[in-house]
């Protein structure tokens, strides 16, 4: 049985993961939401304006009232530089899929792995999940490195599973970890 706690503030050595506020729209828009490089393999198009970002944040902020809503702003050096969230959830299977993105200027610094590990720790230890997954476009191997650094293992490649906004069918890599394997790693 899961114990939903909603999006709680999490702290790591370098980061604060917290709820978004509408005031984060400018940093979100400028740091990643308008950037083609960041959005290339995501399910959504780059935002056309800061107002579009603010409208999305208004929706997310209302969703924080739900105890099973998990959406964090990644704060580094006092700036909102990315997001990490549960994008798929199965109450019955006690499993979740994580999705994440971070501003281009922050790629390759271990920030996303640090964020993902904090969220994985929270979801296993506080919420009580049994399984966590991450999937990414094979053409975006950096996302797979995040999963691997967090202890997830490659479970398979789904051929042409995702159609990009450019009309290209992309192969998707699926990574996962279950509670018993997570607990072995944590010992």
């Amino acid at each position: 049985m899961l114990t939903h706690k909603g999006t709680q503030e999490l702290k790591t050595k370098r980061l604060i993961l917290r709820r978004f506020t509408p005031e984060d729209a400018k940093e979100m828009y400028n740091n990643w939401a308008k950037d083609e490089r960041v959005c290339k393999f995501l399910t959504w198009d780059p935002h056309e304006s800061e107002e579009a970002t603010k409208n999305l944040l208004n929706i997310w902020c209302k969703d924080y009232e739900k105890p099973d809503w998990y959406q964090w702003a990644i704060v580094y050096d006092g700036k909102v530089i990315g997001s990490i969230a549960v994008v798929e959830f199965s109450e019955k299977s006690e499993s979740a899929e994580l999705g994440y993105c971070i501003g281009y200027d922050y790629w390759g610094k271990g920030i996303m792995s640090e964020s993902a590990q904090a969220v994985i720790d929270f979801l296993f230890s506080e919420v009580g999940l049994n399984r966590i997954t991450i999937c990414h476009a094979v053409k975006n191997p950096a996302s797979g490195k995040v999963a691997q650094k967090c202890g997830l293992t490659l479970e398979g490649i789904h051929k042409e599973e995702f159609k990009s906004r450019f009309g290209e069918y992309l192969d998707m890599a699926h990574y996962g970890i279950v509670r018993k394997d997570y607990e072995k790693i944590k010992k």
Side-chain angles (χ1 to χ4, degrees):
M1 177 132 178
L2 299 178
T3 307
H4 286 295
K5 299 192 174 198
T7 305
Q8 301 293 311
E9 185 172 288
L10 307 174
K11 292 183 180 181
T12 71
K13 185 177 177 182
R14 300 182 292 169
L15 310 170
I16 296 172
L17 306 181
R18 62 159 173 82
R19 292 178 175 198
F20 279 97
T21 68
E23 291 74 32
D24 294 324
K26 183 174 186 162
E27 286 185 329
M28 180 176 172
Y29 178 73
N30 288 323
N31 286 334
W32 78 92
K34 70 176 182 179
D35 193 330
E36 280 284 341
R37 297 167 297 185
V38 174
C39 300
K40 185 174 182 179
F41 298 110
L42 299 178
T43 59
W44 47 272
D45 292 336
H47 294 187
E48 293 183 13
S49 67
E50 187 179 319
E51 189 63 29
T53 303
K54 189 169 189 170
N55 290 339
L56 176 64
L57 288 179
N58 285 329
I59 294 167
W60 286 358
C61 290
K62 288 178 186 169
D63 285 336
Y64 285 127
E65 296 172 14
K66 302 174 190 172
D68 63 348
W69 176 254
Y70 300 101
Q71 175 81 45
W72 288 271
I74 301 169
V75 180
Y76 174 72
D77 279 345
K79 296 178 187 171
V80 177
I81 61 159
S83 69
I84 184 166
V86 170
V87 295
E88 294 285 334
F89 198 86
S90 171
E91 193 83 30
K92 180 181 178 189
S93 297
E94 298 178 352
S95 65
E97 179 184 335
L98 297 182
Y100 42 79
C101 59
I102 191 168
Y104 181 81
D105 292 343
Y106 302 95
W107 288 7
K109 300 180 187 306
I111 293 170
M112 191 50 72
S113 298
E114 190 174 327
S115 299
Q117 191 62 66
V119 169
I120 289 167
D121 291 345
F122 172 77
L123 293 172
F124 275 132
S125 63
E126 299 292 324
V127 179
L129 288 180
N130 183 61
R131 176 174 165 75
I132 295 174
T133 62
I134 292 172
C135 73
H136 69 89
V138 171
K139 287 187 173 185
N140 183 17
S143 248
K145 288 179 183 174
V146 169
Q148 291 167 15
K149 286 180 184 177
C150 293
L152 284 75
T153 56
L154 180 63
E155 297 178 336
I157 306 290
H158 295 201
K159 302 294 284 179
E160 298 186 3
E161 180 181 35
F162 179 74
K163 186 176 180 182
S164 78
R165 65 187 201 291
F166 305 109
E168 180 183 11
Y169 291 99
L170 300 173
D171 296 348
M172 299 297 287
H174 290 257
Y175 289 81
I177 188 169
V178 294
R179 172 184 289 286
K180 64 184 175 188
D181 294 336
Y182 165 81
E183 289 171 351
K184 287 177 192 172
I185 293 169
K186 285 299 172 181
K187 286 184 180 180

